[in-house]
Amino acid sequence: MSEFFKESVKSALKYYVYALVDPRNKCIFYVGKGCGDRIYNHAKDALRDNSDSLKLTTIREIHEAGLEVIYYILRHNLSEKEAFLVESSIIDLLTYESFNMKNVLANIATGHHQWDEGIKTTEEINILYDCPKIEPVAGDRLLLVSLNKSYNQSKAYGVYRRANVYESARKYWVISAKKAAKVDFILGVYRKIVRIVIDVKGYNVCESDSGRRIAFEGNIVTDSPYLNKDVSDYPFGSGGAVTYIPRTGF
């Protein structure tokens, strides 16, 4: 099978969204977008690149079994923007855990804008667009941390690349050890809404190139009254990454 398109085919395809399928189980293991011969480049990368990414490892295993990757064009004749949206929707559909527990994609990141515009229950839609204001419990000392740079991992980079939202919320924050010792709960905030609540059990002081930072330890609270609440009455301020409730008492 040829691993390139003729110019007439490339011209007709324009931007497209494609899937790589494992011939051993007929399962999609990668979804991508591109133009030209992009769909075929992964197999070439597997021959040149020795990295252990799931995508390239799967391709090598297919070749070692004497088989070839199966290629599908899912949608074509698209603009780049349209391809971006179609790719995102398909990745979300194939990785949404509530009704897809078996399919595993080798894509590093989930669909673009997965939280903002991806698959949701109607309850989650209401959480996103009609959240009640937070009502702090008297005596609770809350540390609000901004997840705007780390919640959407498809756009996160550098120190903001994290394994999960818990790792994003618990570290690394520029606050004093004195204040850290007083925190009862961490509220991870994305776009003014509390996305995760952590019951703090302790903290560590970490040294970095930019000075001392705090990394907390604790348990995720899934039934917290603070979860999915609007905290727009407690802004972070210009460029700020943390704020407190109450404003005094820390």
Side-chain angles (χ1 to χ4, degrees):
M1 177 179 176
S2 174
E3 292 195 349
F4 62 88
F5 291 122
K6 293 182 178 180
E7 289 302 320
S8 59
V9 177
K10 292 179 183 179
S11 178
L13 283 175
K14 298 184 179 178
Y15 275 92
Y16 57 85
V17 177
Y18 61 90
L20 306 185
V21 174
D22 189 333
R24 298 169 297 178
N25 55 21
K26 300 299 189 293
C27 287
I28 295 172
F29 67 91
Y30 189 84
V31 173
K33 68 181 186 307
C35 56
D37 294 325
R38 175 60 181 165
I39 189 172
Y40 295 123
N41 290 344
H42 304 289
K44 297 175 183 177
D45 291 342
L47 298 175
R48 298 191 298 259
D49 189 339
N50 293 322
S51 66
D52 58 355
S53 74
L54 180 57
K55 174 186 65 178
L56 298 184
T57 298
T58 301
I59 292 172
R60 292 190 200 101
E61 290 175 350
I62 291 170
H63 290 169
E64 289 169 1
L67 301 170
E68 295 293 335
V69 174
I70 301 172
Y71 302 100
Y72 282 90
I73 301 292
L74 305 180
R75 283 290 185 276
H76 68 280
N77 193 24
L78 304 171
S79 68
E80 185 175 14
K81 184 177 181 179
E82 290 170 335
F84 190 85
L85 179 60
V86 172
E87 177 202 35
S88 173
S89 300
I90 292 172
I91 291 174
D92 284 356
L93 184 64
L94 292 177
T95 57
Y96 193 68
E97 292 183 356
S98 294
F99 50 77
N100 193 339
M101 301 297 292
K102 294 183 179 180
N103 197 82
V104 177
L105 290 186
N107 295 66
I108 294 174
T110 54
H112 312 285
H113 310 302
Q114 187 180 52
W115 170 256
D116 303 303
E117 300 160 7
I119 297 171
K120 287 176 185 60
T121 64
T122 54
E123 180 183 6
E124 288 171 329
I125 288 293
N126 285 321
I127 287 172
L128 181 62
Y129 296 113
D130 188 26
C131 297
K133 293 290 184 74
I134 192 171
E135 296 182 5
V137 175
D140 281 357
R141 290 170 295 189
L142 313 176
L143 172 65
L144 281 62
V145 299
S146 174
L147 304 182
N148 287 347
K149 293 183 178 180
S150 61
Y151 193 85
N152 185 344
Q153 281 294 301
S154 68
K155 291 186 175 181
Y157 60 91
V159 70
Y160 299 107
R161 292 289 290 183
R162 305 288 174 83
N164 49 52
V165 69
Y166 170 75
E167 291 297 321
S168 294
R170 77 178 189 89
K171 61 184 182 183
Y172 298 98
W173 305 112
V174 183
I175 67 173
S176 68
K178 182 179 179 180
K179 287 185 176 182
K182 297 180 180 180
V183 175
D184 296 315
F185 297 97
I186 296 171
L187 309 187
V189 178
Y190 177 63
R191 296 197 172 182
K192 301 179 181 181
I193 306 299
V194 177
R195 310 300 191 186
I196 184 172
V197 178
I198 300 174
D199 182 4
V200 174
K201 300 302 182 184
Y203 69 92
N204 297 300
V205 178
C206 306
E207 297 290 344
S208 71
D209 293 340
S210 55
R212 292 186 176 183
R213 294 175 178 262
I214 297 295
F216 290 93
E217 301 289 343
N219 301 320
I220 298 174
V221 185
T222 58
D223 58 352
S224 170
Y226 301 130
L227 194 62
N228 300 318
K229 295 300 190 296
D230 181 341
V231 292
S232 56
D233 289 341
Y234 301 89
F236 288 100
S238 179
V242 302
T243 191
Y244 305 90
I245 301 176
R247 297 294 197 187
T248 60
F250 278 88

